[in-house]
Each structure stands twice: as C-alpha cells, then as structure tokens.
Amino acid sequence: MLAFVVRLLQVQAVDADAYAAKAEKSRYLSVKLAAERGEITDRTGIALATSVDAYDITADPKLFTPEESKSPDAPERAAGLLAPILGTDAGEIAKKLRTPKSRYTVLARRQTPQVWNQIKDLKGVFAEKAAADRARGGPGTNVLAGVFQEPSSKRVYPNGELAAGILGYVNAEGRGGGGIESMLDKELAGQDGEVTYAQSGGRRVPTAGGTRETPAVPGSDIELTIDRDIQWAAQRAISEQVAKSKADRGYVIVQDTRTGEILAMANAPGFDPNDLGGADSAAMGNAALQDAYEPGSTAKVMSMAAVLEEKAATPSTHVVVPNRLHRGDRLFKDDIDHPTWYLTLNGVLAKSSNIGTILATGQLGETQRQANQVLHSYLRKFGMGSPSGLGYPGETPGILAPPQKWSTSQQYTIPFGQGFSLNAMQAASVYSTIANGGLRIEPSLVRGTKGPDGRFTAAPAPRKTRVVSEDTARTLATMLESVVGDEEGTGTKARIPGYRVAGKTGTANRVDPELGRYRGYTASFAGFAPADKPRITVYCAIQNPTKGSYFGGQICGPIYQEVMEFALKTLQVPPTGKGPAGLPVTFRPAE
C-alpha cells in the first residue's frame, strides 16, 4: 500500500504536467493539407496539365493492435480487404498497419473518389456488423475502423501525349519530376497547410477553433507560349515521319520570329504522363533540348552570315568548286560526285556545297587560324556552346571547342556543320535570328503566371543580342529563298503555295552515343516564312532514319512544309505571293 500511495502521488502530483502533456500529444494528430497544384495552360488558356479531386488513404496503426481492434490478425484482415481496391500488395499494407508506435501511415496516395467510396461502403458494412455483435455481448470488431481519407489531388493531362516533353510529369511524392512541372515546381506546388485532429474512441474528431488549422495556399497557374493546335500539328507530323523512316527519334520546333516565343516543341516518340508505368524511360525527357548532335548543313547559314558581315564576299561572288578539295590531312567532298561547279556564293548555299563553304570561310582571315577565330566568334554570337536561355532542366548547351583546340579536320568541317554540336532549340534560334533582322531574342516557353489572387504576372522580357546587321540578314533571307525556290536548290519539297519560303536542308553524319563513332545520319530542315515579312520559324530534325531517304530535304522538307502551312493559317498570316527574281546560282567560266 505504501508503494502504491507513493506511485499515485508521483503520477497525480509530482509528474502530473508531464503525463498530461504526453496524453495530449497522444490524443491529437496533425496531418498535412495538400495544396492544390496550379494549372499549366497553352497561350489561349486551354489546360495542358490540371488537378482533380483525389484522396490519400491513411490509417492509424494503433487502432489495429489487438488491444484496440479486439482481433490479433486485424492488419492481415484489413489488408486483404483493401488490397484489391487499392491495387497494391496485401503484405505491404499489413506491414504498414503493424508499424510500431505510429498513429499515422499512408496506404495509398491520390486515389479517385470512387476508390474511397468503395472503402467507405465497406467500413459501413463492418460498422453495422460490429454494432450488432456488441449488442449480443460480443467484442464488436471492426477491422476497418482505423482507415481514413485525407483530401488530396491527382495530376491529369487532358491531352495525353501532347506536349508531354515540355510539361514533364509529377512523381509519386507529388513533386515535379521533369519538364515545366520540375522547372517551376515551387510556383506550381503552393504551400501545404495543416489540420489537427483529436482521437476519440477510434474516431477522428476535428478540434474546435480556428487555431488548429492552417489552410493550404494553392499554387500558381502557368501560361505557356505554346499554341495547342500548332503543337498538335507538329507532333502528328514528326510522329508519322519517325515511324515511316524507322528512325530513333525526331523533333520539331515552331517559334515566333518577332518575340522568340515557342509555339510548339514536339518530340517523337513521346509518352503519356497519365500512365508513367507504361512509359519508355528513354522517351520521358525532352530530346529537342537534351540531345546534342552535329547539325550538318543547316549550320552553313552561320558561316555565310560571317562571310557577308565581314564583307569577305557577296552573294554574287564566284566560287569554283572542284569535285575534291585537299585541306590539311583530309580530302573533302560534297554529298554527290560532280564535275567542277561554277557557283556564286548564293549557289554554294543553294546547292549546299561543303567544298564551296570551306573555300568561302577561308576568306575570313589572312591565315586559316585567323579565319577560325572569326568564325568561332560568330558561332558564339549565334548561341552555340551556351544554354538557349530557357532555363529548362537537363538542357544541353552543346559542344563548341575554342578555335585553338580545333583539330586539323575541324578547321574545315565546322564551317559546314560537323565537328561541333547543338540542340534543336539552338538550331531553330539561328534561323529566327536571321528572320528577325539579325537580332537574336532568347527563346521563351512561359508567358507568365497567375497567382491564387487571380493576378497575372508576365514573364520577364527576353534578352536581345545583335548578331549581324539588318542588311546581312536580309541578304541571307534572299539567299535562303534560293534553296527552296530555285530548281537547283536542295529544299524544293518545302515550298508552300502563295508564300515566299526561306530555308536550308541538312544531312549530317551522326555520332552514335553508344558506339562513340559516326554511324547513320541526322536529317534536318530549318527555315522561316514569309521570307519577305518573317513571322514563323520551323525547325525539324530526325535522328538515324533507316528506311527510305536520309536526306534532310527529302524527309524533313515535307514536315517543314506541313507544319509551317498549318501555323501560317492558324495565325492568319496572309499569303505574300511570288517574290522578285532570285539571285544567280551559277556563273559561266568565261565571266
């Protein structure tokens, strides 16, 4: 009795506050209130990524102990009932329900209301059975009494694969796992709140008073520069051609030449962010920004820009192009064998002559070393070797070595697009720079954000850099018209009735990333329209086509034509008709 009295005094008097605090802590349970994730929309407000109501299915493991549940196998019985509904392993659920010294565990996240309704109906059935059992003097066991729900949300993508490479996805923790979802996760996620519940008789009772709940703050909506319709057209065109050519992958970029805004960025193959379990991990990125590859002849426009800007030649300058050209330790050739060509500088671009390009860029300095330095400076100004400015996760800046490190062969291959690498966005930006009068505008994917208060905040203005003069840009635009409009040009399949089109084909030897050597080709086409009043740039590239043609003009020219025509009509750009007589492509030896 003495020991009992001493212990009673200790519990009720000496340590009363400490035990009361422990009891209070045990009685109350604080859980997170998930913030609603912001929407991602296209430029017209159409939802590309949104959230719908869902539930996290949770449990209080203490209510599954033999003392509380009146059943020694309550975790196993409950797990057997829940597993078919939640689509998970019963053993894993039982393990969570047996978590020692825990009052809270998550059984499944972001379940549909239909799932919770099934569980709620089962809870009701077992509650009735337990009440009837207690009325007969039994234990009244309800094995699902400790299962609860918490409001949550589930990320959905209404358009399936459309723009998935841009959008990315949300991972199992509810955070952005790639793309815009990751890049702007902080803005989209908002701030979670918290609510405190009191435990009483195996039930949760919300506490009275506002001090026990901190409301969640919804995330901001993100408005992209993408036009959903143009994105759809680009994605359809590239997907069909990649499949037809049995290629590894391909990408199309559509850009507003005046603002730098990206209207479409499509990848093939893609993935459905609604079904990550069925997605190919190799297709879950954004290859248009993350692939580094050698561009080939589409890069010749930068070499020509340097030659014109430095006044080393004019479009009419005569260039005698032999069938083979010996430079350094290599013998260079064009894509096809030919007799000696008598071309103008314009003709070198129209016929995409590697040899002619080497000869033209050789005039950029008194020595080859000086010429290399000048060319390198222009490549840098066009954005080579630097991030595009998007700030996109995983984007490659490409590879451009300093001129003093160019190998003997690189000194002559870089002018025609081999020996350095870029991504598709960088390639498109080159042509947008020419279309915009020689002024480079950093590309942009985000127009602005709309906060929980409904206020729209425009994205910061992109940086602008003068690369070449307006005169040089206009001259290049005219020369690029010859590639498409002249019968001797390589881009005739990119013609669009009623519009003047400027563009350039590309067919590059491709470095196989697995073998580390050249194997296969990269086919591409880049250009803008209308050539006299540029509004839109379209760039297409297909990696390692293995069926049919592998030439850029043959397989990317038609994609350019299809996507560009759709974009022009969607944006209601009026036809421009036929332009003036083109620049000469060839000259007679006697001239």
Side-chain angles (χ1 to χ4, degrees), residues 255-257 427-439 528 536-537:
Q255 188 176 23
D256 188 321
T257 62
S429 182
V430 169
Y431 283 79
S432 289
T433 298
I434 301 302
N436 196 44
L439 187 66
F528 50 86
I536 301 168
T537 292

Side-chain angles (χ1 to χ4, degrees), residues 142-199:
N142 181 354
V143 294
L144 295 180
V147 178
F148 308 101
Q149 56 83 12
E150 291 171 3
S152 181
S153 62
K154 183 178 181 179
R155 201 63 162 170
V156 294
Y157 301 85
N159 302 285
E161 292 190 8
L162 188 74
I166 300 171
L167 300 172
Y169 55 91
V170 171
N171 61 26
E173 285 72 40
R175 298 298 179 187
I180 294 294
E181 296 276 26
S182 173
M183 175 178 165
L184 300 176
D185 183 65
K186 184 176 179 180
E187 291 85 349
L188 288 163
Q191 295 180 358
D192 293 335
E194 185 179 79
V195 63
T196 300
Y197 291 100
Q199 302 285 331

Side-chain angles (χ1 to χ4, degrees), residues 206-249:
T207 58
T211 59
R212 289 295 191 176
E213 180 173 342
T214 303
V217 179
S220 297
D221 294 339
I222 306 296
E223 182 179 307
L224 301 182
T225 60
I226 298 300
D227 182 292
R228 186 189 65 167
D229 293 341
I230 297 176
Q231 177 74 27
W232 172 83
Q235 197 153 317
R236 181 187 65 174
I238 193 65
S239 296
E240 290 179 352
Q241 188 60 65
V242 166
K244 181 180 178 181
S245 300
K246 294 189 179 301
D248 289 356
R249 59 189 169 277

Side-chain angles (χ1 to χ4, degrees), residues 158-373:
N159 302 285
E161 292 190 8
L162 188 74
I166 300 171
L167 300 172
Y169 55 91
V170 171
N171 61 26
E173 285 72 40
R175 298 298 179 187
I180 294 294
E181 296 276 26
S182 173
M183 175 178 165
L184 300 176
D185 183 65
K186 184 176 179 180
E187 291 85 349
L188 288 163
Q191 295 180 358
D192 293 335
E194 185 179 79
V195 63
T196 300
Y197 291 100
Q199 302 285 331
S200 177
R203 300 180 347 183
R204 291 182 183 177
V205 182
T207 58
T211 59
R212 289 295 191 176
E213 180 173 342
T214 303
V217 179
S220 297
D221 294 339
I222 306 296
E223 182 179 307
L224 301 182
T225 60
I226 298 300
D227 182 292
R228 186 189 65 167
D229 293 341
I230 297 176
Q231 177 74 27
W232 172 83
Q235 197 153 317
R236 181 187 65 174
I238 193 65
S239 296
E240 290 179 352
Q241 188 60 65
V242 166
K244 181 180 178 181
S245 300
K246 294 189 179 301
D248 289 356
R249 59 189 169 277
Y251 4 83
V252 173
I253 291 177
V254 184
Q255 188 176 23
D256 188 321
T257 62
R258 306 167 306 171
T259 65
E261 292 182 339
I262 300 169
L263 303 176
M265 182 183 290
N267 293 276
F271 70 100
D272 185 351
N274 295 304
D275 180 24
L276 296 180
D280 179 359
S281 59
M284 288 177 64
N286 188 343
L289 293 173
Q290 295 166 335
D291 274 5
Y293 57 93
E294 298 186 20
S297 294
T298 53
K300 288 174 181 173
V301 70
M302 291 186 284
S303 297
M304 294 299 169
V307 169
L308 293 173
E309 186 75 1
E310 294 294 314
K311 295 181 170 45
T314 70
S316 300
T317 297
H318 295 176
V319 184
V320 179
V321 180
N323 188 42
R324 295 289 188 275
L325 181 68
H326 190 272
R327 287 289 185 274
D329 57 354
R330 291 187 58 182
L331 199 62
F332 293 93
K333 65 185 183 66
D334 288 320
D335 282 338
I336 58 173
D337 285 327
H338 58 79
T340 297
W341 280 343
Y342 297 93
L343 303 177
T344 61
L345 185 68
N346 180 62
V348 169
L349 189 64
K351 295 178 75 66
S352 197
S353 170
N354 295 339
I355 292 175
T357 304
I358 294 172
L359 294 171
T361 54
Q363 305 304 308
L364 289 173
E366 293 184 4
T367 65
Q368 186 62 46
R369 184 175 182 178
Q370 291 176 345
N372 294 342
Q373 291 173 336

